[in-house]
Amino acid sequence: MARVYYTTPIYYVNDKPHIGHAYTSLATDVLARWKRLEGHEVFFLTGTDEHGQKVERAAQEAGMAPQAFTDQVSQSFRLLAERMGYSNDDFIRTTEPRHRQACQALWEELVRRDEIYLGHYEGWYAVRDEAFYGPDELTERDGVKYAPSGAPVAWVKEPSYFFRLSKWQDWLLRFYEENPGFIAPASRRNEVISFVKSGLQDLSISRTSFTWGIPVPGDPAHVMYVWLDALTNYITAAGYPDPQAPRWGFWPADVHFVGKDIVRFHAIYWPAFLAAAGLAPPRRVFAHGWWTIEGQKMSKSLGNAIDPLKLIEEYGLDPLRYFLLREVPFGNDGDFSRAALIGRVNGELADTLGNLANRTLSLIQRNCEGRLPAPAEGAPGDAELLAGIAALPGAVAAHLEAQEFHLALEAIMAQARGANGYITVQQPWALRKTDPARMAVVLRHLHSALRVFATVLQPFMPGTMAGMLEQLGVPEQARGLAALAAPLPEGTPLPPPAPLFRKIEEAPAPKGAA
């Protein structure tokens, strides 16, 4: 089995978390949980990005010192991770001593390799994005210039250290060509390649106009550019600069999950920084899309950002986890709609999966003395069901490897719908009188199908599927993927079934409601 390393972006602490933050980390969590089910050793990292001018300003507006402000907001992201049920192995903060040490070590290595030089910077800078932009990228309205993100920019002139990014342009283009899966989805890959081909300038990587950051080694009048600082978190947590650190064997990361607005930093700057320091780049950067809310763009002015903790209280944790990855192809933009969430919960979780489990387990309770029937060979009428459930773990694995979360869930639901069709055709309630031996076979096959569904759904809905596996009589040590090859013994006692999902009867909230 392999070592696997997945990361979320580290979240910027200038505001409280919203549904977009929950979404990115959820995808990372599901993939990490799946790899653990496969038997791999997994390292899953999340955390908070706490330096930079934007955080310094947000702290001033809150009337707080930057460290106290970041302590408070970082805790809200830690709470989100706990409440969303993420299985992260570490939570990193860029204000930690270990991170300062790693950043300064990386800086010194880049200096040693002559990848950094001192100059001065003049150009357009967006505080909101913590990013520099060329004049050809800007638009102007009412005398104010704006970045492509919509953030206002200001002209900045100050001394600055530069990273020789232009030197790495050809190397990056070769790297993208040799590693076609490095950037996903394809639309983001094309965007990055086009940007690099248009010409890279050396990158300003220090600032002197504010102090909330990691001091540049040997020149504390400068603090490191927030993106050099932030990106380094991925190797900080792996133990850099100590090659003997226990986690260093996880590097390079298998997937960095990021929002599409920060793909440039992860797919251009980060591999260039690493290559320049003699380190391996990550294997993949996957940039997902943005959520709108009931058809409207999420924004402070509209006040429509959704607090995921309130959604958990309203609909339950596992239904929310399921919906977020079921509704929209990962990588595309999507709309968060309460009506859509209710439709998925009622139609797929309650009616399709929950009802199948309840019918099957109730029939076993009533007709088999609450004990699992013996394993049985499939008759011709069973072939489609048995073939489908046998192939399902492999199909789910292939979709998750490609970060196709919605297709993995559709594959599971397709088999669950098939199992509902099977129980309707076979009518085990009628077979009790006409052919009790055949009834036992049918119920055993349905139990086997439910065990597969519950096993492969564990990463998506860990709490509910633990309950389902309990009802199915599957012991904790037999809930991995490999254990599916070993049938449960005949006569395994099954507890009385209880509903796994509640149907939501309430009407969706008014449009634009938070």
Side-chain angles (χ1 to χ4, degrees), residues 102-163:
C103 286
Q104 292 185 327
L106 180 63
W107 184 284
E108 288 169 341
E109 181 63 18
L110 292 171
V111 168
R112 190 182 72 80
R113 292 169 175 259
D114 193 30
E115 298 289 350
I116 292 176
Y117 63 91
L118 181 62
H120 77 276
Y121 178 77
E122 283 187 73
W124 297 103
Y125 186 75
V127 172
R128 195 179 83 188
D129 298 345
E130 300 281 12
F132 301 99
Y133 292 98
D136 57 326
E137 297 182 89
L138 306 180
T139 55
E140 186 170 340
R141 297 191 305 277
D142 302 323
V144 178
K145 293 186 184 295
Y146 293 90
S149 65
V153 297
W155 186 260
V156 173
K157 181 177 181 179
E158 59 182 290
S160 177
Y161 285 93
F162 285 81
F163 170 69

Side-chain angles (χ1 to χ4, degrees), residues 477-507:
Q477 68 272 20
R479 296 179 184 180
L481 292 169
L484 289 173
L488 294 184
E490 176 185 356
T492 298
L494 305 185
L500 294 162
F501 302 99
R502 64 177 180 88
K503 293 192 79 166
I504 303 169
E505 304 298 344
E506 66 204 72

